[in-house]
């Protein structure tokens, strides 16, 4: 409980049904405010957090009032602080977070303070959700072989995280090979209601992956954020967020026979994308909710990034409680969860009359209207009803190149590419499937579609159907529980027979880790310019993501993945054309292998049991032999290896003293980069492979790293030297200083030389010169990423002057000590006649108390131009961060002062 909380008068005791107490809680009904009864359930979670954390500095009474008055305030785009109950990290973003914690400990140690005070103040769940590269498939030992490769590539990173699991309290590390982070979160990590030091409150989570939203299916408010936001949250700092609008999505009816949860989610995705839900919450309700299993809800919630919402929320009801029991949560915990949520008006009981909720807008879907479908060939919201697939495919071949077109000339559409596959003559046509993958957290959490796929495989095997050997088939469950129920059902052997062997537990094809296609197939595609297809049960199919050689990529349910693998092509009408020929020479049709809903329900009921979840998760933190053999030091201070190219100590706290440095202006700074509109974090952040001619490649080669071992920027996120060199290294970046040339270079203004961005930045720093960035509208839009702010800071950028900022990226810049400034309305670099060749001076008061959020600041150039900008420190908390030189420094000094 926060000291001096003005809402302490509504702190009530929650009694156990059989006597005794569960604990205390901040009671929303005790506020006696009729507006609360009209609030969506998702907004009530924000309200409870604001009340519980109210300290009149980070969270103020006026913030609580904004949330209570949501109906009137949400259309006005007001900002509120939010403190989540916990933070969820996965491997790639977990490494830099642990690096920063280790550095903070070093800094405290150098300042003579107790470095062990640096621990996450908010519970952190870190899942080493390593992305499995499908190098081995169609093999009984695929899991072990792929795991060995992962450990060879990532041993140093894994060992560092293992050290962190021992060194830091309040941090749970789930070892590699356990499952996909979001499924582990759903089945094991989620608390639904916390009981911390005798205080009860709703579970809520921010995670460093966009599909953190999957947990919304369990009634836990969660969404994806950038790494800096996640680090700030785990160190007890509030997140600034716009109070969102809430779209009410009413469900009625029941899914028809043969329609899967994947068909439903692709339909919902298309509807919400069309409606427009970016930046909003979507809250599902209605009598149709009783027809949706928890796994179905999680499937819909998982796809929130694809329909653009912050989250797709399913309030807790009896279905949620049944799932908690299924997954091994104990009876007392479930009783506590239900009692608390009922007492605080956060539980939905559909057997009782429902109070009217207010929504920003409303949608409705009758589940009876959902039909089998896929999405593609290049976007997740381009839904195609299965009955229209063949016609749609031919339309795509005809249409000009775009999201729904390949522009294949009519005379080439029936082209046949002959190739030799390991001594057998084979053929490839446009639309032929070369990758078929049951992958991604979206579907592998859902027993009905996973066991449905296994039933399709069983029927196909019994009829004598086979998958062509050159189709790369794989199965990557989200957790070990899936393996247990597939084996218990006796159906895994049929998936194996068709080539769908388990390749690992982690993200695979959906994230682009398809591995190599057989050389003969790859040559047939490239030499004949074939439009080859991939069919996957994932959630993303953007061009080039799944595999460079599959231009057509379709999202489909796991059973449909098996069906398309058997057909060998997407150019098929399942209603009228046979899927193949059986062992007796008889033509086999789609309807012959498709299970009924009753068949699926029967095998789910008999095969998915609570003891499977208990057995899987009781041993999860014990790891596996490869994890257990990793040797790590026992010290709480990390022994940095200066020769490591994976883990490196960044210079954030170099020469740090106990006295805050105070505000800093900018004096005679050069423009490092001059941008137009819509520069995204994909342009700024290091991402993807490390180009052989890049500064990062040069750094690695100088340290004896062979090109084949470069790995990716993502895998090297724990090394600031690599990441600084990869900042602004996007090959499609457009810098106006280059006058039309595209690429990651800039002009070093004093000399006029054209250099890589990193080399130019280092030359300025070496000369003791500040730099700034000029930008247009929506600077930093896209997925927020920590290195989009850390990288520029390491390059020496002191300020960014833009027409407008993406909200999270702006706060991340502040967190790293960079000054965000906005041109006045109607002005930008061009209208002001700025070329980027000027030198810029930005005067700020030397005393932070003289700075106000949003005040006007004058920028002066050496060419005589002077213009006014808005200083985009938006809160007093952000000013405090800036006064300290950044959020991490602020936390260190506060911890030291609090313990003196």
């Amino acid at each position: 409980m926060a000291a001096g909380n003005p809402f302490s008068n509504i702190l009530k005791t929650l009694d156990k049904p059989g006597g005794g107490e569960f604990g205390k809680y901040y009671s929303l009904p005790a506020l006696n405010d009729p507006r609360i009864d009209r609030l969506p359930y998702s907004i009530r979670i924000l309200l409870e957090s604001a009340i519980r954390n109210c300290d009149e500095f980070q969270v103020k009474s006026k913030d609580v009032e904004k949330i209570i008055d949501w109906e009137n305030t949400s259309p006005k785009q007001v900002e509120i602080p939010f403190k989540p109950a916990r933070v969820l990290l996965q491997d790639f973003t977990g490494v830099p977070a642990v690096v920063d914690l280790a550095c903070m400990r070093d800094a405290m140690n150098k300042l003579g303070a107790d470095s062990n005070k640096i621990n996450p103040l908010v519970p952190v769940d870190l899942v080493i959700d390593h992305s499995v590269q499908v190098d081995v498939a169609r093999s009984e030992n695929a899991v072990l072989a792929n795991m060995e490769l992962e450990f060879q590539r990532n041993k140093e990173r894994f060992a560092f995280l293992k050290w962190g699991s021992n060194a830091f309290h309040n941090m749970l590390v789930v070892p590699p090979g356990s499952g996909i982070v979001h499924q582990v979160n759903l089945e094991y990590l989620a608390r639904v209601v916390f009981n911390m030091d005798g205080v009860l409150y709703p579970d809520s989570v921010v995670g460093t992956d966009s599909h953190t939203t999957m947990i919304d299916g369990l009634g836990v408010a969660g969404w994806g954020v950038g790494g800096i936001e996640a680090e700030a949250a785990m160190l007890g700092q509030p997140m600034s967020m716009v109070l969102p609008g809430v779209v009410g999505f009413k469900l009625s009816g029941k899914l028809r026979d043969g329609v899967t949860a994947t068909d439903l989610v692709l339909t919902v995705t298309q509807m919400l994308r069309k409606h427009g839900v970016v930046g909003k919450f979507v809250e599902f309700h209605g009598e149709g909710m009783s027809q949706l299993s928890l796994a179905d809800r999680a499937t819909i919630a998982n796809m929130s990034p694809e329909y653009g919402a912050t989250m797709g929320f399913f309030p807790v009801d009896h279905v949620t409680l049944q799932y908690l029991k299924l997954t091994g949560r104990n009876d007392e915990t479930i009783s506590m969860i239900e009692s608390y949520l009922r007492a605080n008006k956060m539980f939905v009981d559909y057997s009782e009359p429902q109070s009217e909720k207010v929504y920003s807008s409303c949608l409705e879907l009758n589940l009876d209207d959902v039909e089998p479908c896929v999405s593609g060939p290049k976007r997740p919201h381009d839904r195609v009803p299965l009955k229209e697939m063949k016609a749609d495919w031919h339309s795509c071949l005809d249409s000009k190149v775009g999201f729904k077109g390949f522009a294949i000339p009519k005379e080439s559409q029936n082209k046949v590419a002959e190739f030799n596959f390991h001594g057998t003559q084979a053929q490839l046509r446009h639309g032929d499937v070369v990758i078929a993958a049951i992958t991604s957290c979206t579907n592998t959490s859902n027993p009905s579609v996973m066991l449905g796929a296994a039933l399709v495989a069983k029927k196909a095997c019994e009829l004598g159907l086979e998958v062509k050997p050159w189709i790369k088939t794989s199965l990557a469950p989200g957790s070990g529980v899936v393996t247990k129920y597939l084996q218990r059902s006796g159906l895994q052997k049929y998936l194996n027979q068709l080539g769908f062997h388990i390749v690992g537990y982690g993200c695979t094809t959906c994230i682009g880790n398809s591995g190599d296609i057989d050389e003969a197939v790859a040559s047939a595609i490239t030499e004949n310019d074939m439009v080859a297809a991939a069919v996957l049960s994932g959630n993303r199919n953007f061009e080039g993501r799944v595999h460079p050689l599959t231009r057509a990529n379709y999202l489909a349910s796991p059973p449909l993945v098996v069906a398309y693998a058997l057909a060998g092509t997407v150019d098929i009408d399942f209603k009228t054309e046979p899927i193949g020929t059986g062992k007796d020479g008889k033509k086999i049709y789609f309807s012959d292998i498709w299970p009924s809903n009753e068949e699926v329900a029967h095998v789910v009921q008999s095969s998915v049991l609570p003891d499977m979840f208990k057995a899987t998760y009781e041993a999860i933190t014990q790891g596996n032999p490869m994890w257990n053999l990793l040797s790590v030091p026992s010290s709480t201070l990390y022994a940095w290896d200066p020769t490591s190219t994976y883990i490196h100590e960044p210079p954030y706290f170099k020469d740090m003293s106990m006295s805050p440095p105070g505000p800093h202006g900018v004096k005679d700074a050069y423009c490092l980069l001059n941008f137009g509109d819509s520069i995204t974090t994909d342009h700024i952040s290091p991402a993807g492979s490390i180009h052989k001619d890049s500064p990062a490649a040069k750094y690695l080669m100088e340290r004896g790293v062979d090109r084949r071992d470069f790995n990716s920027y993502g895998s090297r996120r724990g090394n600031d030297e690599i990441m600084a060199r990869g900042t602004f290294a996007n090959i499609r970046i457009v810098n106006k200083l280059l006058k039309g040339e595209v690429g990651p270079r800039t002009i070093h203004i004093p000399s006029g030389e054209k250099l890589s961005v990193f080399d130019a930045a280092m030359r300025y720093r070496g000369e003791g010169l500040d730099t700034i960035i000029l930008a247009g509208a929506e600077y930093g839009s896209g997925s927020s990423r920590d290195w989009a702010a850390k990288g520029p800071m390491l390059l020496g950028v002191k300020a960014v002057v833009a027409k407008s900022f993406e909200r999270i990226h702006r706060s991340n810049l502040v967190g790293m000590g960079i000054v965000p400034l906005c041109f006045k309305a109607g002005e930008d670099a061009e209208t002001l006649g700025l070329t980027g060749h000027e030198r810029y001076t930005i005067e700020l008061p030397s005393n932070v108390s003289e700075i106000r959020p949003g005040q006007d600041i004058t920028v002066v150039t050496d060419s005589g131009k002077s213009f006014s900008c808005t200083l985009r420190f938006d809160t007093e908390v952000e000013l405090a961060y800036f006064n300290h030189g950044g959020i991490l420094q602020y936390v260190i000094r506060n911890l030291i002062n609090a313990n003196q």
Side-chain angles (χ1 to χ4, degrees):
M1 290 172 280
N5 189 319
F7 294 95
S8 56
N9 61 313
I10 63 167
L11 197 60
K12 305 295 182 186
T13 299
L14 184 67
D15 295 325
K16 293 182 178 179
E21 297 177 3
F22 282 122
K24 297 187 181 302
Y25 70 104
Y26 286 89
S27 170
L28 301 187
L31 288 170
N32 293 317
D33 193 318
R35 291 175 295 178
I36 294 174
D37 287 337
R38 291 167 60 82
L39 290 179
Y41 289 97
S42 49
I43 299 299
R44 298 181 195 190
I45 292 176
L46 301 183
L47 174 61
E48 190 282 337
S49 174
I51 289 171
R52 177 168 36 86
N53 291 296
C54 190
D55 60 1
E56 298 298 6
F57 175 58
Q58 292 184 333
V59 184
K60 299 181 178 181
S61 298
K62 66 180 183 182
D63 297 315
V64 173
E65 172 57 26
K66 286 177 188 174
I67 303 172
I68 293 176
D69 199 34
W70 170 86
E71 193 172 345
N72 296 311
T73 54
S74 65
K76 300 174 183 176
Q77 294 286 291
V78 301
E79 295 220 0
I80 60 162
F82 175 60
K83 286 193 171 187
R86 64 189 170 97
V87 173
L88 183 66
L89 305 174
Q90 26 76 285
D91 182 9
F92 280 179
T93 43
V95 170
V98 177
V99 164
D100 288 352
L101 286 173
C103 286
M104 291 172 75
R105 279 202 174 162
D106 286 346
M108 283 191 75
N109 191 51
K110 289 171 185 171
L111 291 168
D114 180 3
S115 60
N116 288 321
K117 294 291 183 185
I118 293 289
N119 277 298
L121 301 177
V122 168
V124 174
D125 299 321
L126 196 162
V127 181
I128 305 181
D129 176 9
H130 68 297
S131 300
V132 181
Q133 184 83 9
V134 188
D135 288 306
V136 182
R138 290 207 170 203
S139 163
E140 292 287 358
N141 66 347
V143 174
L144 182 61
N146 281 316
M147 180 70 80
E148 286 173 347
L149 285 166
E150 290 302 308
F151 266 81
Q152 286 171 21
R153 292 169 177 151
N154 303 299
K155 183 178 180 180
E156 192 174 343
R157 207 165 78 241
F158 291 167
F160 176 68
L161 291 176
K162 187 175 181 181
W163 167 81
S165 70
N166 299 324
F168 296 104
H169 304 303
N170 223 17
M171 178 187 287
L172 172 68
V173 175
V174 177
S178 304
I180 298 172
V181 57
H182 316 302
Q183 193 160 339
V184 173
N185 191 25
L186 187 78
E187 295 176 355
Y188 175 64
L189 296 172
R191 282 70 153 182
V192 185
V193 172
F194 264 88
N195 188 344
M196 187 71 74
D197 300 323
V199 177
L200 307 173
Y201 52 94
D203 188 3
S204 57
V205 60
V206 292
T208 52
D209 186 284
S210 57
H211 290 105
T212 299
T213 54
M214 185 173 182
I215 203 61
D216 302 330
L218 197 67
V220 175
W223 58 86
V225 295
I228 292 174
E229 273 200 308
E231 287 184 40
M234 74 189 201
L235 292 167
Q237 302 304 300
M239 290 168 39
S240 179
M241 63 180 288
V242 173
L243 185 61
V246 182
V247 177
F249 198 117
K250 186 176 181 181
L251 296 169
S252 60
K254 182 181 180 180
L255 291 175
R256 290 180 286 130
D257 198 41
V259 176
T260 68
T262 314
D263 302 322
L264 170 60
V265 75
L266 294 178
T267 303
V268 168
T269 297
Q270 185 184 45
M271 288 178 66
L272 288 170
R273 177 65 74 169
K274 183 179 179 182
H275 185 73
V277 292
V278 173
K280 296 182 173 68
F281 289 176
V282 177
E283 186 165 296
F284 293 88
H285 64 103
E287 65 271 20
M289 290 279 281
S290 61
Q291 299 296 323
L292 289 186
S293 70
L294 198 289
D296 291 352
R297 299 174 183 193
T299 306
I300 295 170
N302 184 292
M303 287 283 275
S304 294
E306 280 66 50
Y307 44 81
T310 302
M311 66 175 182
F313 188 73
F314 291 81
V316 175
D317 60 12
H318 287 103
V319 173
T320 321
L321 300 180
Q322 290 163 8
Y323 182 80
L324 293 173
K325 191 171 184 67
L326 169 69
T327 50
R329 276 77 163 193
N330 65 54
D331 290 343
E332 180 161 345
T333 297
I334 296 171
S335 174
M336 179 268 289
I337 289 169
E338 182 176 6
S339 299
Y340 168 78
L341 294 175
R342 283 186 180 276
N344 228 9
K345 294 193 174 181
M346 294 179 178
F347 186 88
V348 183
D349 190 333
Y350 289 104
S351 67
E352 299 174 355
Q354 300 295 301
S355 61
E356 184 183 352
K357 306 292 181 299
V358 176
Y359 295 109
S360 307
S361 60
C362 295
L363 285 173
E364 185 167 353
L365 174 65
N366 187 330
L367 298 175
D368 296 334
D369 295 336
V370 178
E371 58 183 322
C373 57
V374 297
S375 277
K378 303 179 185 182
R379 295 190 301 186
H381 52 281
D382 288 337
R383 188 179 68 90
V384 185
L386 202 59
K387 64 188 179 187
E388 299 172 15
M389 180 59 180
K390 188 179 180 74
D392 191 81
W393 169 251
H394 283 276
S395 171
C396 288
L397 289 178
D398 288 334
S399 299
K400 65 180 182 180
V401 174
F403 293 124
K404 293 289 290 185
F406 299 106
I408 303 298
K410 281 284 187 188
E411 64 273 15
S412 301
Q413 290 183 9
N414 294 320
K415 185 177 186 178
V416 178
E418 305 276 352
F419 67 100
N420 187 293
F421 182 79
H422 301 280
T424 303
Q425 283 303 115
Q427 296 179 333
L428 200 67
R429 294 174 172 81
H430 292 299
D432 277 6
V433 175
V434 296
I435 292 176
I438 300 174
T439 177
S440 134
C441 47
T442 312
N443 287 291
T444 61
S445 65
N446 196 325
S448 65
V449 292
M450 295 299 284
L451 287 165
L455 284 170
V456 170
K458 178 177 185 288
K459 290 172 182 283
C461 290
E462 289 173 346
L463 290 167
L465 294 179
E466 296 178 345
V467 175
K468 294 181 177 72
W470 56 82
I471 297 176
K472 188 161 191 177
T473 46
S474 61
L475 166 59
S479 84
V481 176
V482 180
T483 298
K484 286 184 169 65
Y485 64 64
L486 282 172
Q487 289 174 341
R488 183 182 180 91
S489 68
L491 297 173
Q492 178 65 56
K493 63 184 180 184
Y494 299 108
L495 287 166
N496 290 349
Q497 191 173 325
L498 295 182
F500 288 95
H501 293 277
I502 294 175
V503 296
Y505 302 94
C507 296
T508 57
T509 308
C510 187
I511 203 172
N513 284 348
S514 311
D516 292 332
I517 293 174
D518 186 272
E519 284 184 18
V521 181
S523 297
I525 295 170
T526 55
E527 291 169 10
N528 296 279
D529 195 28
M530 305 303 292
V531 183
V535 184
L536 63 151
S537 67
N539 43 33
R540 289 183 175 168
N541 58 336
F542 303 115
E543 199 167 13
R545 181 183 175 102
V546 172
H547 192 283
L549 296 182
T550 58
R551 279 193 272 167
N553 301 284
Y554 286 94
L555 305 183
S557 66
L560 274 178
V561 171
V562 177
Y564 273 112
L566 289 161
T569 181
V570 298
D571 184 8
I572 182 173
D573 181 347
F574 280 142
K575 186 81 172 175
T576 61
E577 296 179 79
I579 210 165
T581 305
K583 55 192 172 186
D584 58 359
K586 183 182 174 184
K587 290 181 178 178
I588 307 298
Y589 288 84
F590 180 80
S591 57
D592 297 325
I593 62 170
W594 199 257
S596 68
N597 286 10
E598 287 74 22
E599 285 178 274
V600 174
H602 174 75
V603 75
V604 169
Q605 191 171 7
S606 61
S607 304
V608 186
L609 305 172
D611 61 358
M612 295 175 178
F613 293 90
K614 289 178 181 175
T616 299
Y617 289 114
E618 276 173 359
I620 196 167
T621 55
Q622 295 172 17
N624 54 62
M626 283 177 271
W627 170 261
N628 295 333
L629 286 171
L630 288 175
S631 177
V632 297
S634 58
S635 61
T636 57
L637 292 175
Y638 188 69
W640 303 98
D641 177 2
T643 66
S644 172
T645 57
Y646 277 97
I647 309 296
H648 185 264
E649 181 181 14
Y652 305 144
F653 310 108
K654 190 177 181 182
D655 303 324
M656 180 180 169
S657 66
M658 269 306 295
S659 300
H664 63 79
V666 179
K667 179 80 169 167
D668 288 332
Y670 282 99
C671 177
L672 179 64
L673 294 152
N674 183 4
F675 291 132
D677 294 343
S678 302
I679 290 295
T680 71
T681 49
D682 286 303
H683 292 105
I684 306 168
S685 286
S689 60
I690 297 172
H691 192 272
K692 62 181 177 64
D693 298 323
S694 66
K698 181 182 176 185
Y699 174 88
L700 289 170
M701 288 187 287
E702 285 172 351
R703 281 149 187 81
V705 178
D706 192 274
R707 185 178 167 187
R708 68 172 179 270
D709 296 322
F710 279 2
N711 218 325
S712 64
Y713 282 112
S715 66
R716 294 187 181 272
R717 287 180 77 151
N719 188 317
D720 60 287
E721 296 279 5
I722 302 284
M723 300 304 278
R725 285 164 171 78
T727 301
F728 298 113
N730 189 298
I731 59 172
R732 293 182 178 86
I733 205 163
V734 178
N735 171 16
K736 292 181 183 179
L737 292 177
L738 295 177
K739 299 187 182 303
E741 184 181 327
V742 177
R745 294 163 74 79
T746 194
I747 301 296
H748 177 252
I749 304 295
S751 67
E753 287 184 67
K754 191 184 297 182
L755 301 171
S756 72
V757 176
F758 176 78
D759 288 341
M762 291 305 101
R763 188 175 294 187
Y764 284 127
R765 287 193 66 170
E767 296 164 345
L769 298 169
D770 288 345
T771 55
I772 67 161
I773 289 171
L774 295 176
E778 300 176 336
Y779 182 75
S781 57
S783 301
S784 59
R785 295 194 178 109
D786 51 345
W787 279 105
K790 287 180 176 178
M793 185 275 289
L794 291 171
L795 294 179
V797 173
K798 301 299 182 185
V800 179
V801 189
K803 285 177 71 174
S804 62
F805 291 92
E806 190 276 336
R807 182 179 59 84
I808 295 174
H809 182 62
R810 184 205 59 80
S811 68
N812 284 348
L813 291 173
V814 174
M816 296 312 297
I818 296 174
V819 181
L821 293 164
C822 274
F823 291 109
K824 289 296 181 181
E827 294 184 347
D828 59 18
E830 286 197 4
T831 64
L832 292 168
L834 303 174
T835 65
H837 287 258
E838 306 85 355
R839 298 184 74 170
Y840 296 81
T841 296
I842 304 166
E843 295 285 358
L844 289 179
S846 58
N847 192 322
V848 72
S849 63
E850 298 175 23
I851 304 177
R852 301 182 316 279
Q855 77 179 66
D856 285 351
I857 294 291
T858 300
V859 181
V860 179
T861 72
D862 65 339
S863 63
K865 292 184 187 295
S866 174
F867 56 96
S868 181
C869 286
T870 303
L871 183 63
R872 287 300 309 277
F873 297 131
D874 291 358
T875 65
E876 292 173 19
V877 175
E878 288 188 345
L879 279 173
Y881 295 160
F882 184 64
N883 186 52
H884 280 263
I887 192 168
L888 303 180
Q889 293 85 343
Y890 169 85
V891 170
I892 288 175
R893 293 189 182 103
N894 272 12
L895 280 173
I896 293 175
N897 290 328
N899 288 283
Q900 285 180 344

